[in-house]
Amino acid sequence: MQSLRVKLGQRSYAIHMGSGILGDPSLLAPAIGKGPVAIVTDTNVGPLYLKALQNTLKSLHKDALVITLPAGEESKTLDHVQSITGELLKAGYGRDCTLFALGGGVVGDITGFAAAVYQRGVACIQIPTTLLAMVDSSVGGKTGVNHPLGKNMIGAFYQPRCVIADTDTLDSLPEREFRSGLAEVIKYGLINDLSFFSWLEDHLDSVLARDSEALEKIIKTSCKDKAEVVARDELEGGLRAILNFGHTFGHAIEAASGYGHYLHGEAVAIGMVMAADLSRRLDLLRESEQNRIYKLIKAAGLPTLAPRLEISTYLDFMKVDKKAEAGQIRFILLNSIGSALITGDVPPAAITQTLQAFMERSA
Amino acid sequence: MQSLRVKLGQRSYAIHMGSGILGDPSLLAPAIGKGPVAIVTDTNVGPLYLKALQNTLKSLHKDALVITLPAGEESKTLDHVQSITGELLKAGYGRDCTLFALGGGVVGDITGFAAAVYQRGVACIQIPTTLLAMVDSSVGGKTGVNHPLGKNMIGAFYQPRCVIADTDTLDSLPEREFRSGLAEVIKYGLINDLSFFSWLEDHLDSVLARDSEALEKIIKTSCKDKAEVVARDELEGGLRAILNFGHTFGHAIEAASGYGHYLHGEAVAIGMVMAADLSRRLDLLRESEQNRIYKLIKAAGLPTLAPRLEISTYLDFMKVDKKAEAGQIRFILLNSIGSALITGDVPPAAITQTLQAFMERSA
């Protein structure tokens, strides 16, 4: 097992990574308060890992209330925040309770947000069970739900007490979801870590074979890269926005094609290919680097073609992106592999050219 | 005009108090960002003061989006958070927008919470138009909505950019609401400020006549008293709980009798009389002081009799109070007028005796 500390002053917390650590009460004990505990999970993950977590908690003399959500992005709503908090109220849970998020990104996001707002804030422990959640949504304190008019538009920055990433839980992850998680892993190489990107090019086969050493390497490096960025900019004032590389196009793809059609990582993969195209058009990125990016994303089994939609539809969805300021879309672009920049100063013609090029290819 | 600074490090903000200051753009200018603005108000307050605020904003070249909620506690729901954020999304408002809460406590609480969670946090300016909101809910950063199972059970600590308390807006306040606000004013004297309590005993007539000097005195003293407590305990770790004096019983009264039957201040008034009774039963408070408390609350035209309900009903509602820990009800009690203490260690028999005494009186 390895541990990593995310340094955020009073809100610092540990990320523990390793095989079988879900069964280790010594990791949970220091993070749980005196009060009662509740586990939020979903209909996919519950049957697989709920029992193990319950047993670990029982050895700490905690009998957990279990709240099971329907699996899928459709559960990430304010209505479900109301139902989760309703279960806690019915059980008489006070401010000293601890919520466990056992599942993928959806469970992590909504449970973290429910913890942030229940009685104005209770403790939360994240137990991500997908690659995407391990390398992305359980690190950095972003929590929230979707609004019918936009993804993740309602939320809070709220740090967990700790994160338990048990790599054994990845054994059951469907191939498509595993590859979707790889999109965010590749992203860390692109924005911040050239040597990690090269390592991924060289070791993609072992990663795709879910070799345990390779898995530990990508989770640890991704969490470390993300934790560094988050520690320097907790509330997304500036630098942290580079974590959204590929997300401006990606969110538009997800929203415009209806949530659930693409997995988040798939939309981000396409978005990264589009952002690389835009970076090259603006003479920031060399064509050889753009080709390397395309090749790795393609080799990871991720989609690289954008869905065919009106260009105005893309632009409308990109304007409601949280990074937009005064109606101006902000982009994360690449100077080179391993070096990102944030800019609101992109000529509209270049954006349109990128969109047009992808619409032609997707025909 | 007078101003008061609430000291919370990076989240410090100013409270401006005075006659006609809603029309002063120089107070708003430093608190508004570059982005667009929206005003949230309700069907009672909008017709009275919306125009004035819109004009002040126009002089700053800001054309405000207006969102009007139905007046009343029934609007303080997650559904309305969804509708407020939906309006902002439809208008394409990004993270750089500023929300104005123009109204009483309900508008302030829900708008503050919507600002806290919209895109994980945008700027908020509080413009309270009731005495209660001026002396209580606009100071301290408590925001939130009700859950069907409990008042204020979903929320966040979120500080405004500034608070504008225009005393002219109190002219239109119905008598019952004005007196309800006085309950919180009296509370500050009881928990923290004996000389203010004595001042209130001596000057109650001018206060009830809404003499402008008396109004300025009570708003300023209440805000100062509350700001001091909040500055020392922003996240309600300890001391801040004394601000909930009268609220443990009060919230149970509000919840058990159905929200809206009692005004918040009315329920708090009864709750304070009950908490004084309990304090005397525990030999903390002298009977002569209990009588002074009863007399002032009565003279302020506030209710002092609890609604007739099963004692178990009271106890059940008190157990879901946010101050409860591990199922134990925590009380704010008085050692004397001007000195409060927080304790979870109250013999159940004493609580029952207080409840029984009030049930007999209310027959």
Side-chain angles (χ1 to χ4, degrees), chain A residues 133-203:
Chain A
M134 286 182 190
V135 301
D136 178 43
S137 48
S138 69
V139 183
K142 277 196 183 181
T143 70
V145 295
N146 298 326
H147 191 283
L149 298 178
K151 199 171 148 69
N152 293 319
M153 282 294 161
I154 297 177
F157 288 100
Y158 198 71
Q159 305 301 336
R161 288 290 174 88
C162 77
V163 176
I164 310 280
D166 185 336
T167 50
D168 290 2
T169 61
L170 296 184
D171 293 348
S172 57
L173 196 64
E175 188 62 21
R176 194 179 156 198
E177 286 206 40
F178 181 78
R179 288 168 190 254
S180 170
L182 276 185
E184 297 278 350
V185 172
I186 293 169
K187 185 193 72 179
Y188 293 112
L190 286 174
I191 58 173
N192 208 23
D193 196 337
L194 170 61
S195 72
F196 184 44
F197 186 87
S198 303
W199 186 93
L200 285 168
E201 289 180 317
D202 295 342
H203 298 83

Coordinates of all heavy atoms in Angstrom, one line a residue, chain A residues 133-203:
Chain A
A133 N -12.8 7.5 -11.1 CA -13.0 8.1 -9.8 C -11.7 8.1 -9.0 O -11.4 9.1 -8.3 CB -14.1 7.4 -9.0
M134 N -10.9 7.1 -9.2 CA -9.6 7.0 -8.4 C -8.6 8.1 -8.8 O -8.0 8.7 -8.0 CB -8.9 5.7 -8.6 CG -9.6 4.5 -7.8 SD -8.7 3.0 -8.1 CE -9.9 1.9 -7.3
V135 N -8.5 8.4 -10.1 CA -7.5 9.3 -10.6 C -8.1 10.7 -10.7 O -7.4 11.7 -11.0 CB -6.9 8.9 -12.0 CG1 -6.3 7.5 -11.9 CG2 -8.0 8.9 -13.1
D136 N -9.4 10.9 -10.6 CA -10.0 12.2 -10.9 C -10.9 12.7 -9.8 O -10.6 13.5 -9.0 CB -10.7 12.2 -12.2 CG -11.3 13.6 -12.5 OD1 -10.6 14.6 -12.3 OD2 -12.5 13.6 -13.0
S137 N -12.1 12.1 -9.8 CA -13.2 12.8 -9.0 C -13.0 12.7 -7.5 O -13.7 13.4 -6.7 CB -14.6 12.4 -9.5 OG -14.7 11.0 -9.6
S138 N -12.2 11.7 -7.0 CA -12.1 11.6 -5.6 C -10.9 12.5 -5.0 O -10.7 12.6 -3.8 CB -11.9 10.2 -5.1 OG -10.6 9.7 -5.6
V139 N -10.2 13.1 -5.9 CA -9.1 14.0 -5.5 C -9.4 15.4 -5.9 O -9.7 15.7 -7.1 CB -7.8 13.6 -6.2 CG1 -6.6 14.4 -5.7 CG2 -7.5 12.1 -6.0
G140 N -9.4 16.3 -4.9 CA -9.5 17.7 -5.3 C -10.7 18.4 -4.7 O -10.8 19.6 -4.8
G141 N -11.7 17.6 -4.2 CA -12.8 18.2 -3.4 C -13.9 18.8 -4.3 O -14.8 19.4 -3.8
K142 N -13.9 18.5 -5.6 CA -15.0 19.0 -6.4 C -16.2 18.0 -6.2 O -16.0 16.8 -6.4 CB -14.6 19.0 -7.9 CG -13.9 20.2 -8.3 CD -13.9 20.3 -9.8 CE -13.2 21.5 -10.3 NZ -13.2 21.6 -11.7
T143 N -17.3 18.5 -5.7 CA -18.5 17.7 -5.6 C -19.6 18.4 -6.3 O -19.5 19.6 -6.5 CB -18.8 17.6 -4.1 OG1 -19.3 18.9 -3.6 CG2 -17.6 17.2 -3.2
G144 N -20.7 17.7 -6.5 CA -21.8 18.4 -7.1 C -22.8 17.5 -7.9 O -22.6 16.2 -7.9
V145 N -23.8 18.1 -8.4 CA -24.8 17.4 -9.2 C -25.0 18.1 -10.5 O -24.6 19.2 -10.6 CB -26.1 17.2 -8.4 CG1 -26.0 16.4 -7.2 CG2 -26.7 18.6 -8.0
N146 N -25.8 17.5 -11.4 CA -26.1 18.1 -12.6 C -27.4 18.9 -12.5 O -28.2 18.6 -11.7 CB -26.3 17.0 -13.7 CG -25.0 16.2 -14.0 OD1 -23.9 16.7 -13.9 ND2 -25.2 14.9 -14.3
H147 N -27.5 19.9 -13.4 CA -28.7 20.6 -13.6 C -29.3 20.2 -14.9 O -28.5 19.9 -15.8 CB -28.4 22.2 -13.5 CG -29.7 23.0 -13.5 ND1 -30.5 23.2 -14.6 CD2 -30.3 23.7 -12.4 CE1 -31.5 24.0 -14.2 NE2 -31.4 24.3 -12.9
P148 N -30.6 20.1 -15.1 CA -31.1 19.8 -16.4 C -30.5 20.6 -17.5 O -30.3 20.1 -18.6 CB -32.6 20.0 -16.3 CG -32.9 20.0 -14.8 CD -31.7 20.4 -14.1
L149 N -30.0 21.8 -17.2 CA -29.4 22.7 -18.2 C -27.9 22.6 -18.3 O -27.3 23.4 -19.1 CB -29.9 24.1 -18.0 CG -31.4 24.4 -18.1 CD1 -31.7 25.8 -17.8 CD2 -31.9 24.0 -19.5
G150 N -27.3 21.8 -17.4 CA -25.8 21.8 -17.5 C -25.2 20.9 -16.5 O -25.6 20.8 -15.3
K151 N -24.1 20.2 -16.9 CA -23.5 19.2 -16.1 C -22.7 19.9 -14.9 O -22.0 20.9 -15.2 CB -22.5 18.4 -17.0 CG -22.1 17.1 -16.4 CD -21.3 16.4 -17.5 CE -20.2 15.5 -16.9 NZ -20.8 14.3 -16.2
N152 N -22.8 19.3 -13.7 CA -22.0 19.8 -12.6 C -22.2 21.3 -12.3 O -21.3 21.9 -11.8 CB -20.5 19.6 -12.8 CG -20.2 18.1 -12.8 OD1 -20.7 17.3 -12.0 ND2 -19.3 17.7 -13.7
M153 N -23.4 21.8 -12.6 CA -23.6 23.2 -12.4 C -24.0 23.6 -11.0 O -24.0 24.8 -10.7 CB -24.7 23.7 -13.4 CG -24.2 23.9 -14.8 SD -22.9 25.2 -14.9 CE -22.1 24.8 -16.5
I154 N -24.3 22.6 -10.2 CA -24.6 22.9 -8.8 C -23.6 22.0 -7.9 O -23.5 20.8 -8.1 CB -26.0 22.5 -8.5 CG1 -27.0 23.3 -9.3 CG2 -26.3 22.6 -7.0 CD1 -28.5 22.9 -9.1
G155 N -22.9 22.7 -7.1 CA -21.9 21.9 -6.3 C -21.1 22.7 -5.3 O -21.5 23.9 -5.0
A156 N -20.1 22.1 -4.8 CA -19.3 22.8 -3.7 C -17.9 22.2 -3.8 O -17.7 21.1 -4.2 CB -19.9 22.5 -2.3
F157 N -16.9 23.0 -3.3 CA -15.6 22.5 -3.1 C -15.6 21.9 -1.6 O -15.9 22.7 -0.7 CB -14.5 23.6 -3.2 CG -14.3 24.0 -4.6 CD1 -14.8 25.2 -5.1 CD2 -13.5 23.3 -5.4 CE1 -14.6 25.6 -6.4 CE2 -13.3 23.6 -6.7 CZ -13.8 24.8 -7.2
Y158 N -15.4 20.7 -1.5 CA -15.5 20.0 -0.2 C -14.6 18.9 -0.1 O -14.7 17.9 -0.8 CB -17.0 19.6 0.1 CG -17.3 19.4 1.5 CD1 -17.4 20.4 2.4 CD2 -17.5 18.1 2.0 CE1 -17.7 20.2 3.7 CE2 -17.8 17.9 3.4 CZ -17.9 18.9 4.2 OH -18.2 18.7 5.5
Q159 N -13.6 19.0 0.8 CA -12.6 17.9 0.9 C -13.0 16.7 1.8 O -13.6 16.9 2.8 CB -11.3 18.5 1.5 CG -10.8 19.8 0.8 CD -10.4 19.6 -0.7 OE1 -10.2 18.4 -1.1 NE2 -10.5 20.6 -1.4
P160 N -12.7 15.5 1.3 CA -13.0 14.3 2.1 C -12.0 14.2 3.3 O -11.0 14.9 3.3 CB -12.7 13.2 1.1 CG -11.7 13.7 0.2 CD -12.0 15.2 0.0
R161 N -12.4 13.4 4.2 CA -11.4 13.1 5.4 C -10.3 12.2 4.9 O -9.2 12.3 5.4 CB -12.2 12.4 6.5 CG -13.1 13.3 7.3 CD -12.4 14.3 8.1 NE -13.3 15.3 8.7 CZ -13.9 15.1 9.9 NH1 -13.6 14.0 10.6 NH2 -14.8 16.0 10.3
C162 N -10.6 11.3 4.0 CA -9.6 10.5 3.4 C -10.1 9.8 2.1 O -11.4 9.8 1.9 CB -8.9 9.5 4.3 SG -9.8 8.0 4.7
V163 N -9.3 9.3 1.3 CA -9.7 8.5 0.1 C -9.0 7.1 0.2 O -7.8 7.0 0.5 CB -9.2 9.2 -1.2 CG1 -9.5 8.4 -2.4 CG2 -9.8 10.6 -1.3
I164 N -9.8 6.1 0.0 CA -9.3 4.7 0.0 C -9.5 4.2 -1.4 O -10.6 3.9 -1.9 CB -10.2 3.8 0.9 CG1 -10.3 4.5 2.3 CG2 -9.7 2.4 1.0 CD1 -9.2 4.3 3.2
A165 N -8.4 4.0 -2.2 CA -8.5 3.5 -3.5 C -7.9 2.1 -3.5 O -6.7 1.8 -3.6 CB -7.6 4.4 -4.5
D166 N -8.9 1.1 -3.4 CA -8.5 -0.3 -3.4 C -8.4 -0.8 -4.9 O -9.5 -0.9 -5.5 CB -9.6 -1.1 -2.6 CG -9.2 -2.5 -2.4 OD1 -8.4 -3.1 -3.2 OD2 -9.7 -3.1 -1.4
T167 N -7.2 -1.1 -5.3 CA -7.1 -1.5 -6.7 C -7.8 -2.8 -7.1 O -8.1 -3.0 -8.3 CB -5.6 -1.6 -7.1 OG1 -4.9 -2.4 -6.1 CG2 -4.9 -0.2 -7.1
D168 N -8.1 -3.6 -6.1 CA -8.8 -4.9 -6.4 C -10.2 -4.6 -7.0 O -10.7 -5.4 -7.7 CB -9.0 -5.7 -5.1 CG -7.7 -6.3 -4.6 OD1 -6.7 -6.0 -5.3 OD2 -7.7 -7.0 -3.6
T169 N -10.8 -3.4 -6.6 CA -12.1 -3.1 -7.1 C -12.1 -2.9 -8.6 O -13.2 -2.9 -9.2 CB -12.7 -1.9 -6.4 OG1 -11.9 -0.8 -6.6 CG2 -12.8 -2.1 -4.9
L170 N -10.9 -2.7 -9.2 CA -10.9 -2.4 -10.6 C -11.1 -3.7 -11.4 O -11.4 -3.7 -12.6 CB -9.6 -1.7 -11.0 CG -9.4 -0.3 -10.4 CD1 -8.1 0.3 -11.0 CD2 -10.6 0.6 -10.7
D171 N -10.9 -4.9 -10.7 CA -11.0 -6.2 -11.4 C -12.4 -6.3 -12.1 O -12.5 -6.9 -13.2 CB -10.9 -7.3 -10.5 CG -9.4 -7.4 -9.9 OD1 -8.6 -6.7 -10.5 OD2 -9.2 -8.2 -8.9
S172 N -13.4 -5.7 -11.5 CA -14.8 -5.9 -12.0 C -15.2 -4.8 -12.9 O -16.3 -4.8 -13.4 CB -15.7 -6.0 -10.8 OG -15.6 -4.8 -10.0
L173 N -14.3 -3.9 -13.2 CA -14.7 -2.7 -14.0 C -14.8 -3.1 -15.5 O -13.9 -3.7 -16.1 CB -13.6 -1.6 -13.9 CG -14.0 -0.2 -14.3 CD1 -15.1 0.3 -13.5 CD2 -12.8 0.7 -14.2
P174 N -16.0 -2.8 -16.1 CA -16.1 -3.1 -17.5 C -15.0 -2.4 -18.4 O -14.6 -1.3 -18.1 CB -17.5 -2.6 -17.9 CG -18.2 -2.5 -16.6 CD -17.2 -2.2 -15.6
E175 N -14.6 -3.1 -19.5 CA -13.5 -2.6 -20.3 C -13.8 -1.1 -20.7 O -12.9 -0.3 -20.7 CB -13.4 -3.5 -21.5 CG -12.2 -3.2 -22.4 CD -10.8 -3.4 -21.7 OE1 -10.8 -4.1 -20.7 OE2 -9.8 -2.8 -22.2
R176 N -15.0 -0.8 -21.2 CA -15.3 0.5 -21.7 C -15.0 1.6 -20.6 O -14.5 2.6 -20.9 CB -16.7 0.6 -22.2 CG -17.0 1.8 -23.1 CD -18.4 1.8 -23.6 NE -18.8 3.2 -23.9 CZ -20.0 3.6 -24.0 NH1 -21.0 2.7 -23.9 NH2 -20.3 4.9 -24.3
E177 N -15.4 1.2 -19.4 CA -15.2 2.2 -18.3 C -13.8 2.3 -17.9 O -13.3 3.4 -17.6 CB -16.0 1.8 -17.0 CG -17.5 2.0 -17.2 CD -18.2 2.2 -15.9 OE1 -17.6 2.8 -15.0 OE2 -19.3 1.6 -15.7
F178 N -13.1 1.2 -18.0 CA -11.6 1.3 -17.7 C -10.9 2.2 -18.7 O -10.2 3.1 -18.3 CB -11.0 -0.2 -17.8 CG -9.6 -0.2 -17.5 CD1 -9.1 -0.1 -16.1 CD2 -8.6 -0.3 -18.5 CE1 -7.8 -0.2 -15.8 CE2 -7.3 -0.3 -18.2 CZ -6.8 -0.2 -16.9
R179 N -11.2 2.0 -20.0 CA -10.6 2.9 -21.0 C -11.0 4.3 -20.8 O -10.2 5.3 -21.0 CB -10.9 2.4 -22.4 CG -10.2 1.1 -22.7 CD -10.7 0.4 -23.9 NE -10.2 -1.0 -24.1 CZ -9.2 -1.3 -25.0 NH1 -8.7 -0.4 -25.8 NH2 -8.7 -2.5 -25.0
S180 N -12.2 4.5 -20.4 CA -12.7 5.9 -20.2 C -11.9 6.6 -19.1 O -11.5 7.7 -19.2 CB -14.2 5.9 -19.8 OG -14.6 7.1 -19.3
G181 N -11.5 5.8 -18.0 CA -10.7 6.3 -17.0 C -9.3 6.7 -17.5 O -8.7 7.6 -17.0
L182 N -8.8 5.9 -18.5 CA -7.5 6.1 -19.0 C -7.4 7.5 -19.7 O -6.3 8.1 -19.7 CB -7.1 5.1 -20.1 CG -6.6 3.8 -19.6 CD1 -6.2 2.9 -20.8 CD2 -5.3 4.1 -18.7
A183 N -8.5 8.0 -20.1 CA -8.5 9.4 -20.8 C -8.0 10.4 -19.8 O -7.1 11.2 -20.1 CB -9.9 9.8 -21.3
E184 N -8.4 10.3 -18.5 CA -8.0 11.3 -17.5 C -6.5 11.1 -17.2 O -5.8 12.0 -16.9 CB -8.8 11.3 -16.3 CG -10.3 11.7 -16.5 CD -10.6 13.2 -16.5 OE1 -9.7 14.0 -16.2 OE2 -11.7 13.6 -16.9
V185 N -6.1 9.8 -17.2 CA -4.7 9.5 -16.9 C -3.8 10.1 -18.0 O -2.8 10.8 -17.7 CB -4.5 7.9 -16.9 CG1 -3.0 7.6 -16.8 CG2 -5.3 7.3 -15.7
I186 N -4.2 9.9 -19.2 CA -3.4 10.5 -20.4 C -3.4 12.0 -20.2 O -2.4 12.7 -20.5 CB -4.0 10.1 -21.7 CG1 -3.9 8.6 -21.9 CG2 -3.5 10.9 -22.9 CD1 -4.7 8.0 -23.1
K187 N -4.5 12.6 -19.7 CA -4.6 14.1 -19.6 C -3.5 14.6 -18.6 O -2.9 15.6 -18.9 CB -6.0 14.4 -19.0 CG -6.2 15.9 -18.8 CD -7.4 16.2 -18.0 CE -7.1 15.9 -16.5 NZ -8.2 16.2 -15.6
Y188 N -3.2 13.9 -17.5 CA -2.2 14.4 -16.6 C -0.8 14.4 -17.3 O 0.0 15.4 -17.1 CB -2.1 13.5 -15.4 CG -3.3 13.6 -14.5 CD1 -4.2 12.5 -14.4 CD2 -3.6 14.8 -13.9 CE1 -5.3 12.6 -13.7 CE2 -4.8 14.9 -13.2 CZ -5.6 13.8 -13.1 OH -6.8 14.0 -12.3
G189 N -0.5 13.4 -18.2 CA 0.7 13.5 -19.0 C 0.7 14.7 -19.9 O 1.7 15.5 -19.9
L190 N -0.4 15.0 -20.5 CA -0.5 16.0 -21.5 C -0.3 17.4 -20.9 O 0.4 18.3 -21.4 CB -1.8 16.0 -22.2 CG -1.9 14.9 -23.3 CD1 -3.4 14.8 -23.8 CD2 -0.9 15.1 -24.4
I191 N -0.9 17.7 -19.7 CA -0.9 19.0 -19.2 C 0.3 19.3 -18.3 O 0.7 20.5 -18.1 CB -2.2 19.3 -18.3 CG1 -2.3 18.3 -17.2 CG2 -3.4 19.3 -19.2 CD1 -3.5 18.7 -16.2
N192 N 1.0 18.3 -17.8 CA 1.9 18.5 -16.7 C 3.1 17.6 -16.6 O 4.0 17.9 -15.8 CB 1.1 18.4 -15.4 CG 1.6 19.2 -14.3 OD1 2.3 20.2 -14.5 ND2 1.3 18.8 -13.1
D193 N 3.2 16.6 -17.5 CA 4.1 15.5 -17.1 C 4.5 14.7 -18.4 O 4.0 13.6 -18.7 CB 3.4 14.6 -16.1 CG 4.4 13.7 -15.3 OD1 5.5 13.4 -15.9 OD2 4.0 13.2 -14.2
L194 N 5.5 15.3 -19.1 CA 5.9 14.7 -20.4 C 6.5 13.3 -20.2 O 6.2 12.4 -20.9 CB 7.0 15.6 -21.0 CG 7.7 15.0 -22.2 CD1 6.8 14.7 -23.4 CD2 8.8 16.0 -22.7
S195 N 7.2 13.1 -19.1 CA 7.8 11.8 -18.9 C 6.8 10.7 -18.6 O 6.9 9.6 -19.0 CB 8.9 11.8 -17.8 OG 8.2 11.9 -16.5
F196 N 5.7 11.1 -17.9 CA 4.6 10.2 -17.7 C 3.9 9.9 -19.0 O 3.5 8.7 -19.3 CB 3.6 10.8 -16.7 CG 2.4 9.9 -16.3 CD1 2.6 8.5 -16.0 CD2 1.1 10.4 -16.3 CE1 1.6 7.7 -15.7 CE2 0.1 9.5 -15.9 CZ 0.3 8.2 -15.6
F197 N 3.7 10.9 -19.9 CA 3.1 10.6 -21.2 C 4.0 9.6 -22.0 O 3.4 8.7 -22.6 CB 3.0 12.0 -22.0 CG 2.3 11.8 -23.3 CD1 0.9 11.9 -23.4 CD2 3.0 11.6 -24.5 CE1 0.2 11.8 -24.6 CE2 2.3 11.4 -25.7 CZ 0.9 11.5 -25.7
S198 N 5.3 9.8 -22.0 CA 6.2 8.9 -22.7 C 6.1 7.5 -22.1 O 6.1 6.5 -22.8 CB 7.7 9.4 -22.6 OG 7.7 10.7 -23.1
W199 N 6.0 7.4 -20.7 CA 5.9 6.1 -20.1 C 4.6 5.4 -20.5 O 4.6 4.2 -20.8 CB 5.9 6.3 -18.5 CG 5.8 5.0 -17.8 CD1 6.9 4.4 -17.2 CD2 4.7 4.3 -17.4 NE1 6.5 3.2 -16.6 CE2 5.1 3.1 -16.7 CE3 3.3 4.4 -17.6 CZ2 4.3 2.1 -16.2 CZ3 2.5 3.4 -17.2 CH2 3.0 2.3 -16.4
L200 N 3.5 6.2 -20.7 CA 2.3 5.6 -21.1 C 2.4 5.1 -22.5 O 1.9 4.0 -22.9 CB 1.1 6.6 -21.0 CG 0.6 7.0 -19.6 CD1 -0.3 8.2 -19.6 CD2 -0.2 5.8 -19.1
E201 N 3.1 5.8 -23.4 CA 3.3 5.4 -24.8 C 4.0 4.0 -24.8 O 3.7 3.1 -25.5 CB 4.1 6.4 -25.6 CG 3.3 7.7 -25.9 CD 4.2 8.7 -26.7 OE1 5.4 8.9 -26.3 OE2 3.7 9.3 -27.6
D202 N 5.0 3.9 -23.9 CA 5.8 2.7 -23.8 C 5.2 1.5 -23.1 O 5.5 0.3 -23.4 CB 7.2 3.0 -23.1 CG 8.0 4.0 -23.9 OD1 7.7 4.2 -25.1 OD2 8.9 4.6 -23.2
H203 N 4.3 1.8 -22.2 CA 3.7 0.7 -21.4 C 2.2 0.5 -21.5 O 1.5 0.0 -20.7 CB 4.0 1.0 -19.9 CG 5.5 1.0 -19.6 ND1 6.3 2.1 -19.8 CD2 6.3 0.0 -19.1 CE1 7.5 1.8 -19.4 NE2 7.6 0.6 -19.0

